Amino acid sequence: MIMKLVWSPETASNAYIHTVRTCKHYKESSAAEYLSATAAGWNTRMIVETWTRGDPIATSVGLAVAAIHTCGKHVCIVPDEESRSEYEAVMKGAVTSEATEVLIGESAENLVERLSGVDFMVVDSKRREFVKALGSANTSKRGAVLVCKNATQKSIPGFKWHGVLRRGTRVVRSVFLPVGRGLDIAHVGASGGGDLMKLPSRWIKHIDPRSGEEHLFKR
């Protein structure tokens, strides 16, 4: 039997509302809200992100919220002890989650490679070393959703998903969304020949709580 990521609208909605309430004091929280709802909606159990000292924290809060709603694990990779201290201090004041674990290492690639069953991963397109970490991801047998945030500021010219992922990884679909500073999202197929494209398409409505602007995204 081939396992697949299965979409849960109720879980997505709950995570979205939770993130909106938690991130109401942060600027540019629209990406965090969307990613939280997406990670929760797919019922992801291993959520991985990369973060560096000084980066905005809203996305991390949203991913932690998603892990709470899926009873999953949220892992954040930081490059040094200073980043870890700042990250934990800010997160402690934003959301309480025992599901979050912080790993320290200058090479995000090496740390990602040690993690198994990754089914949701977010990296910063502005940082070349973090984008490279995508190629080290050991994705879940159910498939995975991989995200480059700040996609309008990519550090790798001519970025192509097939060019950064490990050989044999099957990109079922990819899409660019004008949320925040751009989200470049790829759905990676389940192992064993499963195909996420066989799932029915859905329209997802996202409303920016500040501007009231409405976006419709087809997944």
Side-chain angles (χ1 to χ4, degrees):
M1 180 178 178
I2 298 173
M3 299 179 63
K4 300 179 182 178
L5 294 175
V6 178
W7 182 258
S8 171
E10 182 179 358
T11 307
S13 177
N14 290 338
Y16 176 79
I17 294 171
H18 188 169
T19 304
V20 168
R21 291 172 177 170
T22 306
C23 293
K24 61 184 178 181
H25 300 301
Y26 297 113
K27 295 181 180 179
E28 300 182 5
S29 62
S30 57
E33 294 154 5
Y34 180 82
L35 290 174
S36 179
T38 304
W42 283 118
N43 197 31
T44 52
R45 301 305 177 88
M46 173 61 84
I47 302 171
V48 179
E49 68 163 325
T50 56
W51 190 88
T52 293
R53 188 179 183 189
D55 285 350
I57 202 68
T59 295
S60 298
V61 173
L63 295 178
V65 168
I68 292 173
H69 285 269
T70 65
C71 297
K73 186 175 183 179
H74 168 224
V75 176
C76 180
I77 297 173
V78 299
D80 49 47
E81 184 62 35
E82 289 76 14
S83 293
R84 182 196 66 79
S85 297
E86 181 176 317
Y87 181 87
E88 292 184 340
V90 178
M91 287 291 285
K92 184 177 181 180
V95 60
T96 301
S97 174
E98 297 181 356
T100 298
E101 178 182 359
V102 182
L103 301 180
I104 304 174
E106 292 184 3
S107 175
E109 297 174 66
N110 292 338
L111 288 178
V112 169
E113 196 169 19
R114 299 174 192 172
L115 301 173
S116 60
V118 175
D119 45 22
F120 200 90
M121 184 173 178
V122 180
V123 301
D124 192 337
S125 297
K126 294 186 299 183
R127 303 183 184 279
R128 182 181 294 269
E129 68 274 20
F130 287 164
V131 175
K132 289 181 179 179
L134 290 168
S136 301
N138 294 308
T139 55
S140 165
K141 293 181 179 180
R142 302 188 302 152
V145 178
L146 307 176
V147 182
C148 285
K149 65 180 181 178
N150 297 315
T152 58
Q153 302 172 300
K154 283 193 176 74
S155 61
I156 300 179
F159 174 91
K160 301 285 186 183
W161 282 105
H162 287 99
V164 298
L165 299 179
R166 64 172 59 192
R167 181 178 296 181
T169 301
R170 198 165 46 83
V171 178
V172 177
R173 69 167 75 87
S174 62
V175 63
F176 175 86
L177 301 180
V179 178
R181 296 186 180 180
L183 298 175
D184 198 343
I185 304 175
H187 286 230
V188 176
S191 62
D195 193 339
L196 288 173
M197 291 193 75
K198 293 180 180 178
L199 293 175
S201 295
R202 290 185 176 88
W203 286 96
I204 301 173
K205 181 169 70 173
H206 174 268
I207 300 176
D208 190 309
R210 292 180 178 81
S211 67
E213 186 177 5
E214 181 177 306
H215 301 281
L216 287 175
F217 307 118
K218 190 176 184 181
R219 71 134 191 92

